[in-house]
Amino acid sequence: MPFFIITAMYPVHRFQAIDSTNIKAKELADGGAVSGTGVIAGYQTKGRGRLGKQWHSVAGKGLFCSIIVRPDVPLEDYPKITLVAGLSVALVLDRLVTAATFLKWPNDIHIAGKKIAGILTESSPLTGNRGAGYAVIGVGINVNQDLEDFPLDLRGNVTSLFLETGRECGVDELFFDVRREILKQLQVFCADGFLPILAQWRKKDFLLGKEMECVNRQGKKIRGIAQGPDDDGQLHVLDGSGRMHEVLSGDVRLATR
Ligand code: BTN
C-alpha cells in the first residue's frame, strides 16, 4: 500500500514496489498533482530508461524517483528540462564524492567514464499552451550497489555512490537533495533562461572533443567529434567530411575502432 506525506511543502508518494515511478507520476500529474510532487519507490518492476531500455532496479539499493514539474516555459523548451535535471543531479553528487562528475548528453551522469545516474523526462501531450503542461523527471541513481548487484554485462560501465565513497548513503536524504536542486535549477531556467544552465553543463561535458557515434531517430548512424550542445541544448557532431550534424535525440556512445 502506498502512503502519502507532505514534506518541505511538496507532496511525496512512496511505494515499496511499483512498476515505474514515471508511470505513477504521469497518472498523478494527469490528475492535477502540483509541481514539485515526488514519487519514490524502493523497487521497480518495469523501471524505464531512455529509448525503450530497461532501468535495472535492485530492491532498496538505488534511488528510483520521479518529480512532477510544471515550468512556465514554452513547450518547445521542454527537451531542455532533461539537461537542467542532469546538471542538478551532478551538482548534488559533487557534494558527496571527491571524483569529478560528468554529463553525457543528454541524460547520463558519469564518474570516471562509468554511469552513476540517468534521467528519463516524459512530457504531457503537447497542447501549445505555455506553462499548461507538465514534465515528469525520472531520476535513477546508483546509490548503495556493490559491483555484484549489477548484471555481469554492465559491471565494466557502471558505478555507485557506495563504490565511489566506500560508505552507504541514505536514499531518502538523497531524494530530497535531488528534488530541491532540480526545483532550484528549474527556477533559474524559468527566470533567467537556458544559458546559465548551459554554462554550468558545458563545464561537465563528457563527450566534448571525443569521437562518438550516434544513431538518430531516423536510424541514421552519425560518427564524428562531439562539439557539445548548442544554445538550444542540441548536440552538434562534426563528421569526417567536415559536415556538422545536429542531434536532437538518439543513442549516443563513444566510438569504437
Ligand atoms: C536512462 O539512463 O536511460 C534513464 C534512466 C531513468 C531511470 C529512472 S528510475 C526512476 C524513474 N522511473 C523509471 O521508470 N525510470 C526513471
Side-chain angles (χ1 to χ4, degrees):
M1 248 333 240
F3 60 99
F4 172 83
I5 53 171
I6 297 199
T7 321
M9 280 160 41
Y10 301 110
V12 184
H13 297 256
R14 289 171 182 281
F15 299 84
Q16 213 163 51
I18 199 169
D19 47 3
S20 152
T21 58
N22 267 28
I23 294 175
K24 176 51 75 179
K26 282 169 86 174
E27 273 171 37
L28 292 166
D30 285 335
V34 295
S35 189
T37 298
V39 178
I40 177 166
Y43 175 67
Q44 298 184 117
T45 53
K46 288 190 189 143
R48 308 207 287 212
R50 279 183 74 247
L51 306 167
K53 291 180 190 164
Q54 189 202 344
W55 183 258
H56 187 66
S57 309
V58 177
K61 298 253 178 168
L63 172 60
F64 314 113
C65 70
S66 302
I67 297 148
I68 297 165
V69 294
R70 299 181 184 276
D72 184 18
V73 294
L75 287 168
E76 66 261 24
D77 280 347
Y78 269 45
K80 295 171 185 158
I81 294 172
T82 294
L83 278 73
V84 176
L87 173 68
S88 308
V89 171
L91 292 174
V92 169
L93 297 180
D94 279 344
R95 294 176 211 135
L96 301 172
V97 297
T98 46
T101 57
F102 289 90
L103 292 159
K104 178 168 168 272
W105 189 92
N107 68 317
D108 289 358
I109 296 95
H110 279 229
I111 292 179
K114 296 183 172 185
K115 181 161 172 170
I116 189 164
I119 312 282
L120 175 65
T121 307
E122 299 183 73
S123 306
S124 56
L126 302 184
T127 61
N129 291 337
R130 184 184 174 95
Y134 66 79
V136 162
I137 302 173
V139 181
I141 304 181
N142 300 331
V143 183
N144 291 321
Q145 289 96 332
D146 214 333
L147 215 46
E148 57 263 29
D149 292 318
F150 294 103
L152 261 178
D153 58 322
L154 290 184
R155 288 183 194 169
N157 304 321
V158 289
T159 188
S160 70
L161 275 172
F162 175 72
L163 288 167
E164 293 299 319
T165 63
R167 290 187 308 276
E168 295 224 334
C169 172
V171 172
D172 260 36
E173 288 113 283
L174 187 60
F175 163 73
F176 289 113
D177 286 352
V178 164
R179 180 167 67 174
R180 195 177 308 113
E181 193 64 43
I182 286 177
L183 296 178
K184 181 176 157 192
Q185 297 301 332
L186 269 178
Q187 187 55 41
V188 172
F189 176 40
C190 293
D192 304 330
F194 190 48
L195 293 186
I197 302 292
L198 207 50
Q200 295 187 80
W201 203 101
R202 285 183 171 137
K203 289 185 196 156
K204 291 179 168 293
D205 190 343
F206 173 71
L207 290 171
L208 184 67
K210 295 193 173 115
E211 184 158 22
M212 50 152 291
E213 283 175 352
C214 170
V215 179
N216 68 15
R217 271 195 191 143
Q218 289 71 42
K220 187 169 183 292
K221 195 166 167 180
I222 298 165
R223 186 182 178 120
I225 306 294
Q227 308 292 310
D230 65 12
D231 290 356
D232 288 325
Q234 295 190 0
L235 180 64
H236 283 219
V237 178
L238 187 63
D239 74 15
S241 66
R243 185 169 162 219
M244 192 71 85
H245 298 264
E246 260 184 22
V247 185
L248 180 59
S249 183
D251 201 359
V252 172
R253 62 179 73 117
L254 289 180
T256 46
R257 296 262 140 220

